[in-house]
Coordinates of all heavy atoms in Angstrom, one line a residue:
V1 N 7.1 -4.8 -5.3 CA 7.7 -5.9 -4.5 C 8.1 -5.3 -3.1 O 7.8 -5.8 -2.0 CB 8.9 -6.5 -5.1 CG1 9.6 -7.4 -4.2 CG2 8.4 -7.3 -6.4
V2 N 8.8 -4.1 -3.1 CA 9.3 -3.5 -1.9 C 8.2 -2.8 -1.1 O 8.0 -3.2 0.1 CB 10.5 -2.6 -2.2 CG1 10.9 -1.9 -0.9 CG2 11.6 -3.3 -2.8
F3 N 7.6 -1.9 -1.8 CA 6.5 -1.1 -1.1 C 5.3 -1.9 -0.8 O 4.7 -1.9 0.3 CB 6.2 0.1 -1.9 CG 7.2 1.2 -1.8 CD1 8.2 1.3 -2.7 CD2 7.1 2.2 -0.8 CE1 9.2 2.3 -2.6 CE2 8.1 3.2 -0.7 CZ 9.1 3.3 -1.6
G4 N 4.9 -2.7 -1.9 CA 3.6 -3.4 -1.7 C 3.7 -4.5 -0.7 O 2.8 -4.8 0.1
A5 N 4.8 -5.3 -0.7 CA 5.0 -6.4 0.1 C 5.4 -6.0 1.5 O 4.8 -6.4 2.5 CB 6.0 -7.4 -0.4
A6 N 6.5 -5.2 1.6 CA 7.0 -4.8 2.9 C 6.1 -3.8 3.7 O 5.7 -4.1 4.8 CB 8.4 -4.2 2.7
I7 N 5.8 -2.7 3.0 CA 5.0 -1.7 3.7 C 3.5 -2.1 3.7 O 2.8 -1.8 4.6 CB 5.2 -0.3 3.0 CG1 6.7 0.1 3.2 CG2 4.3 0.8 3.7 CD1 7.0 1.4 2.5
G8 N 3.1 -2.7 2.5 CA 1.7 -3.1 2.4 C 1.3 -4.1 3.5 O 0.1 -4.2 3.8
S9 N 2.2 -4.9 4.1 CA 1.9 -5.8 5.1 C 1.5 -5.0 6.4 O 0.9 -5.6 7.3 CB 3.0 -6.8 5.4 OG 4.2 -6.1 5.8
R10 N 2.0 -3.8 6.5 CA 1.8 -3.0 7.7 C 0.6 -2.0 7.5 O -0.1 -1.6 8.4 CB 3.0 -2.2 8.1 CG 4.2 -3.2 8.5 CD 5.5 -2.4 8.8 NE 6.6 -3.3 9.1 CZ 6.8 -3.8 10.3 NH1 6.1 -3.4 11.3 NH2 7.9 -4.6 10.5
I11 N 0.6 -1.4 6.2 CA -0.5 -0.5 5.8 C -1.4 -1.3 4.8 O -1.1 -1.3 3.6 CB 0.0 0.8 5.2 CG1 1.1 1.4 6.2 CG2 -1.1 1.8 4.9 CD1 1.7 2.7 5.5
T12 N -2.4 -1.9 5.3 CA -3.3 -2.7 4.4 C -4.1 -1.9 3.5 O -4.3 -2.2 2.3 CB -4.2 -3.7 5.2 OG1 -4.9 -2.9 6.2 CG2 -3.3 -4.6 6.0
E13 N -4.7 -0.8 4.0 CA -5.5 0.1 3.2 C -5.3 1.5 3.4 O -4.8 1.9 4.5 CB -7.0 -0.2 3.5 CG -7.5 -1.6 3.1 CD -9.0 -1.7 3.3 OE1 -9.6 -0.8 3.9 OE2 -9.6 -2.7 2.8
V14 N -5.5 2.3 2.4 CA -5.5 3.8 2.5 C -6.8 4.3 1.9 O -7.1 4.1 0.7 CB -4.3 4.4 1.7 CG1 -4.3 5.9 1.8 CG2 -3.0 3.8 2.2
E15 N -7.6 4.9 2.7 CA -8.9 5.4 2.3 C -9.8 4.4 1.6 O -10.4 4.6 0.6 CB -8.7 6.7 1.4 CG -8.0 7.8 2.2 CD -8.0 9.1 1.3 OE1 -8.9 9.2 0.5 OE2 -7.1 9.9 1.5
G16 N -9.7 3.1 2.1 CA -10.6 2.1 1.6 C -10.0 1.4 0.4 O -10.6 0.5 -0.2
V17 N -8.8 1.7 0.0 CA -8.1 1.1 -1.2 C -6.9 0.3 -0.7 O -6.2 0.9 0.2 CB -7.7 2.1 -2.2 CG1 -7.0 1.5 -3.4 CG2 -8.9 2.9 -2.7
S18 N -6.7 -0.9 -1.2 CA -5.5 -1.6 -0.8 C -4.2 -0.8 -1.1 O -4.2 -0.1 -2.1 CB -5.4 -3.0 -1.5 OG -5.2 -2.8 -2.9
Y19 N -3.2 -1.0 -0.2 CA -2.0 -0.1 -0.4 C -1.3 -0.4 -1.7 O -0.9 0.6 -2.4 CB -1.1 -0.3 0.7 CG 0.1 0.6 0.7 CD1 0.0 2.0 0.9 CD2 1.4 0.1 0.4 CE1 1.0 2.8 0.9 CE2 2.5 1.0 0.3 CZ 2.3 2.3 0.6 OH 3.3 3.2 0.5
G20 N -1.3 -1.6 -2.2 CA -0.7 -1.9 -3.5 C -1.4 -1.2 -4.6 O -0.7 -0.6 -5.5
A21 N -2.7 -1.2 -4.6 CA -3.5 -0.5 -5.6 C -3.3 1.0 -5.5 O -3.3 1.7 -6.5 CB -5.0 -0.9 -5.6
F22 N -3.2 1.5 -4.3 CA -3.1 2.9 -4.0 C -1.8 3.5 -4.6 O -1.7 4.6 -5.1 CB -3.1 3.2 -2.5 CG -3.0 4.6 -2.1 CD1 -4.2 5.4 -2.1 CD2 -1.8 5.2 -1.8 CE1 -4.1 6.7 -1.7 CE2 -1.7 6.6 -1.5 CZ -2.9 7.3 -1.4
L23 N -0.8 2.6 -4.7 CA 0.5 3.0 -5.2 C 0.5 3.3 -6.7 O 1.3 4.0 -7.3 CB 1.6 1.9 -5.0 CG 2.1 1.7 -3.6 CD1 3.1 0.6 -3.5 CD2 2.8 3.0 -3.1
V24 N -0.4 2.6 -7.5 CA -0.3 2.6 -8.9 C -0.3 4.0 -9.6 O 0.6 4.3 -10.4 CB -1.5 1.7 -9.5 CG1 -1.5 1.8 -11.0 CG2 -1.3 0.2 -9.1
P25 N -1.3 4.8 -9.2 CA -1.2 6.2 -9.9 C 0.0 7.0 -9.6 O 0.6 7.6 -10.5 CB -2.5 6.9 -9.3 CG -3.4 5.8 -8.8 CD -2.5 4.7 -8.4

């Protein structure tokens, strides 16, 4: 909720992966 929504709105992708999915591992 915090990282995915707040930061994810500014960092949409990391190395071609959505930021929310990048967080999972």
Side-chain angles (χ1 to χ4, degrees):
V1 171
V2 175
F3 285 90
I7 300 178
S9 61
R10 299 176 181 271
I11 306 174
T12 55
E13 290 187 353
V14 179
E15 299 187 25
V17 178
S18 68
Y19 185 68
F22 184 86
L23 286 177
V24 174

